[in-house]
Amino acid sequence: MKKYIISILLLLPSIYLFADESLFHKANKEYEKGNYETAIYIYKELIKMDNISSELYYNLGNSYYKMENWGESIWCYEKSLKIKYDNKTIENLNIAKSKIKNRINPLPKTFYKKWWDKVINLLHIKKWQIITILSVWLTVSLNIITNLKRIKSIKYLFIVLYSICIILIIISQQSYNKFIKKEAIIFSSSLPVNSEPTKNINNKKLFNLSLGTKVEIIKTKKDWIHIKLNDGRKGWIKENDAKRLN
């Protein structure tokens, strides 16, 4: 009897996985048929079940795009990119952004910044951390072994190895900073950004934000959030005017 119970318990994760995959394929079929509302409903049910993946958010973003819900589609594409960097998702994100009227174009990145971002986006943060830890461990271990055996002929090799370790540590740290960075997507058209988290007469309107703009969240105060744009501008908006990415 115990063997049967154990076998059933072992099979449960596989059953749930199969059910999730079945729902995902069903949602994809509904999308192909043009039943976008149904597809959105199923995708969101999968998210509630914690069956989260970059592909799921990507497909959800496509469904919202077909419904001409630009804000939600941009949010989903950005959420997908938080999980996994993908050129196809970037393309769709830019297409969705092009549908926004009076949108704010981000500052152009320098060649160095573009190249560095591509390096960081090559792997997920966990993979960068594993590679970094293994590289440091192997380099230190090899150094200890060569010192014990008094091998001096590979001195320059260690200079290269330690340099690589330092670079990997920097990449891992920046990948982590990017991963934990609090961001949100604006869900209101022509949203005024205020100088203070209040509605009194001393509060000044600094500038407006368009639907779909991505902002960094610096801090929160009650139902207000202090935001920052990539060009350095800062201000306060109501939290319900934006949807958090993390």
Side-chain angles (χ1 to χ4, degrees), residues 152-170:
K152 297 181 180 180
S153 57
I154 56 173
K155 177 183 176 181
Y156 293 105
L157 174 62
F158 282 111
I159 295 174
V160 174
L161 289 174
Y162 277 114
S163 298
I164 291 171
C165 287
I166 292 169
I167 292 170
L168 286 171
I169 289 169
I170 294 170

Side-chain angles (χ1 to χ4, degrees), residues 47 52 57 71-83 93 97 178-187 212-217 225 239 242-246:
I47 291 170
I52 295 169
Y57 280 112
E72 286 286 2
S73 65
I74 289 169
W75 185 89
C76 289
Y77 292 140
E78 291 282 7
K79 188 72 176 179
S80 176
L81 290 168
K82 279 276 187 184
I83 301 170
L93 173 62
K97 284 181 176 180
K178 184 178 179 181
F179 181 76
I180 64 169
K181 188 178 181 181
K182 294 180 179 179
E183 295 175 310
I185 301 297
I186 299 301
F187 266 63
T213 304
K214 183 164 72 171
V215 297
E216 180 183 352
I217 299 172
I225 53 175
E239 186 160 12
K243 187 174 180 180
R244 291 175 181 258
L245 285 165
N246 53 357

Side-chain angles (χ1 to χ4, degrees), residues 33-205:
K33 292 176 184 177
N35 300 327
Y36 305 121
E37 288 187 6
T38 305
I40 288 169
Y41 175 79
I42 298 171
Y43 288 136
K44 291 175 80 171
E45 285 299 309
L46 285 167
I47 291 170
K48 288 178 183 177
M49 295 161 63
D50 287 331
N51 185 15
I52 295 169
S53 69
S54 60
E55 189 178 3
L56 173 58
Y57 280 112
Y58 173 77
N59 289 2
L60 181 56
N62 288 342
S63 301
Y64 276 121
Y65 179 86
K66 291 292 186 180
M67 297 287 293
E68 298 187 0
N69 189 334
W70 315 128
E72 286 286 2
S73 65
I74 289 169
W75 185 89
C76 289
Y77 292 140
E78 291 282 7
K79 188 72 176 179
S80 176
L81 290 168
K82 279 276 187 184
I83 301 170
K84 182 184 176 183
Y85 186 86
D86 182 73
N87 289 325
K88 184 173 62 175
T89 309
I90 289 287
E91 288 176 12
N92 284 20
L93 173 62
N94 290 333
I95 293 170
K97 284 181 176 180
S98 69
K99 301 294 183 180
I100 306 297
K101 294 179 180 179
N102 303 319
R103 68 190 181 102
I104 298 173
N105 293 313
L107 290 174
K109 293 181 180 179
T110 61
F111 170 78
Y112 165 78
K113 181 62 177 172
K114 287 180 181 178
W115 177 82
W116 187 247
D117 285 346
K118 283 183 179 179
V119 171
I120 292 173
N121 291 325
L122 282 173
L123 298 171
H124 189 267
I125 177 177
K126 289 183 179 179
K127 291 182 179 179
W128 276 125
Q129 289 174 337
I130 291 169
I131 291 171
T132 301
I133 292 168
L134 288 174
S135 298
V136 171
W137 182 80
L138 287 170
T139 302
V140 172
S141 299
L142 187 60
N143 197 2
I144 292 170
I145 292 169
T146 52
N147 284 335
L148 289 173
K149 293 189 176 183
R150 296 181 180 179
I151 302 171
K152 297 181 180 180
S153 57
I154 56 173
K155 177 183 176 181
Y156 293 105
L157 174 62
F158 282 111
I159 295 174
V160 174
L161 289 174
Y162 277 114
S163 298
I164 291 171
C165 287
I166 292 169
I167 292 170
L168 286 171
I169 289 169
I170 294 170
I171 291 173
S172 294
Q173 182 60 48
Q174 294 209 7
S175 179
Y176 175 74
N177 291 341
K178 184 178 179 181
F179 181 76
I180 64 169
K181 188 178 181 181
K182 294 180 179 179
E183 295 175 310
I185 301 297
I186 299 301
F187 266 63
S188 295
S189 299
S190 191
L191 176 69
V193 179
N194 303 302
S195 59
E196 299 176 18
T198 178
K199 289 185 177 181
N200 63 37
I201 56 173
N202 295 322
N203 198 358
K204 295 179 181 178
K205 187 180 81 170

Side-chain angles (χ1 to χ4, degrees), residues 182 184 197 216-227 235-240 244 246:
K182 294 180 179 179
E216 180 183 352
I217 299 172
I218 301 172
K219 59 183 176 181
T220 59
K221 188 175 182 181
K222 295 183 179 178
D223 57 343
W224 292 81
I225 53 175
H226 194 206
I227 62 162
W236 292 88
I237 62 170
K238 298 287 284 185
E239 186 160 12
N240 58 11
R244 291 175 181 258
N246 53 357

